[in-house]
Amino acid sequence: TKNEFSASSFKSSFRVLDKDSPRFNDFNIQMISETMCDHLFGNKKKRNFCNLQDLNKAMIELKKHGLMSNVKEVPDIALNLPKLEGETIEDHFYNIGENQCASYRKLIMNLLMELPVLPKAWEMKEGWTKYTSEGSFSVEFPEEDALVFDVEVCCSEGQMPTLATAVSNQAWYAWVSSDLIHGSQSAANNHYTLDRLIPLESNS
């Protein structure tokens, strides 16, 4: 038919004049520049990804539906891309993610170890109290790098924290607000100061 090409006479139209010339595939679609292609894919890029018979069939279908590319040539864009962190683009992004997330994954995996024994009794003491197998004692803030944390707020009195608990792979913790200890109602004024919030690190 008039839409058919002769498979024997069809020749691949993929063309590259030189490294500075635009690249086009067999369907007349402009590709990324040769320089960028070398940078991203190196020797892994494939020139002849299918045979001429398959290309012929694809051309027929594209032409039948008016989908043959008529895009005009545009100048290549020169981008100063960073060196790939791996052999492929997939390796590149995996390695970047690994570098950024590995330390956090290690913390999480350590946190998922067996939890310490739950305290048999909780002390009603202002601030943080740490509970270990050796007993309980006051601390300024939890000392481990990863915690599971929960906080309670007495909403009828305000939005300030009232109680909190936390657990690491080493110890349990409990925090009690000064308002709860001294029976004050300062939580109702919603004036936030550091001494009324829950410390999770040193102030120094």
Side-chain angles (χ1 to χ4, degrees):
T1 65
K2 62 180 181 179
N3 287 331
E4 292 180 345
F5 296 89
S6 170
S8 60
S9 63
F10 181 81
K11 295 183 179 180
S12 174
S13 59
F14 194 102
R15 60 188 189 277
V16 179
L17 299 179
D18 55 59
K19 292 182 73 69
D20 297 323
S21 299
R23 302 166 60 251
F24 290 82
N25 67 9
D26 295 290
F27 304 103
N28 202 38
I29 297 174
Q30 188 169 345
M31 312 296 284
I32 61 175
S33 69
E34 183 76 5
T35 301
M36 189 179 297
C37 185
D38 288 340
H39 182 89
L40 295 177
F41 303 103
N43 58 8
K44 296 184 181 298
K45 58 187 179 181
K46 296 181 179 180
R47 293 293 187 186
N48 300 318
F49 59 93
C50 60
N51 58 48
L52 295 183
Q53 186 174 5
D54 291 336
L55 286 173
N56 182 43
K57 292 179 181 179
M59 287 286 190
I60 293 172
E61 291 300 315
L62 290 172
K63 188 173 182 180
K64 182 190 301 183
H65 298 284
L67 297 176
M68 289 297 293
S69 174
N70 294 314
V71 177
K72 294 183 179 180
E73 180 180 311
V74 296
D76 281 331
I77 299 175
L79 294 177
N80 185 21
L81 297 176
K83 181 181 178 181
L84 289 182
E85 299 292 333
E87 293 294 324
T88 65
I89 294 179
E90 183 178 2
D91 291 341
H92 172 76
F93 286 106
Y94 177 86
N95 291 334
I96 289 176
E98 181 68 13
N99 290 336
Q100 294 180 351
C101 299
S103 59
Y104 296 101
R105 184 174 64 250
K106 182 178 179 180
L107 289 174
I108 292 173
M109 296 307 295
N110 289 336
L111 185 60
L112 293 177
M113 297 170 61
E114 185 177 357
L115 292 179
V117 177
L118 189 69
K120 294 181 179 180
W122 300 88
E123 298 182 24
M124 193 66 169
K125 186 165 54 176
E126 181 179 346
W128 281 110
T129 301
K130 182 176 183 178
Y131 299 84
T132 70
S133 58
E134 298 177 355
S136 61
F137 45 92
S138 296
V139 292
E140 292 185 13
F141 50 85
E143 299 171 331
E144 289 75 41
D145 293 325
L147 300 164
V148 176
F149 178 80
D150 183 46
V151 61
E152 299 295 333
V153 176
C154 185
C155 296
S156 62
E157 295 296 328
Q159 300 179 3
M160 301 299 290
T162 304
L163 293 169
T165 55
V167 64
S168 70
N169 62 347
Q170 300 293 324
W172 283 88
Y173 293 89
W175 179 87
V176 182
S177 69
S178 60
D179 289 334
L180 191 60
I181 293 295
H182 302 296
S184 62
Q185 296 182 344
S186 60
N189 62 30
N190 288 327
H191 180 61
Y192 303 154
T193 56
L194 288 178
D195 62 305
R196 295 176 59 217
L197 299 178
I198 303 174
L200 291 174
E201 60 183 3
S202 173
N203 291 329
S204 59

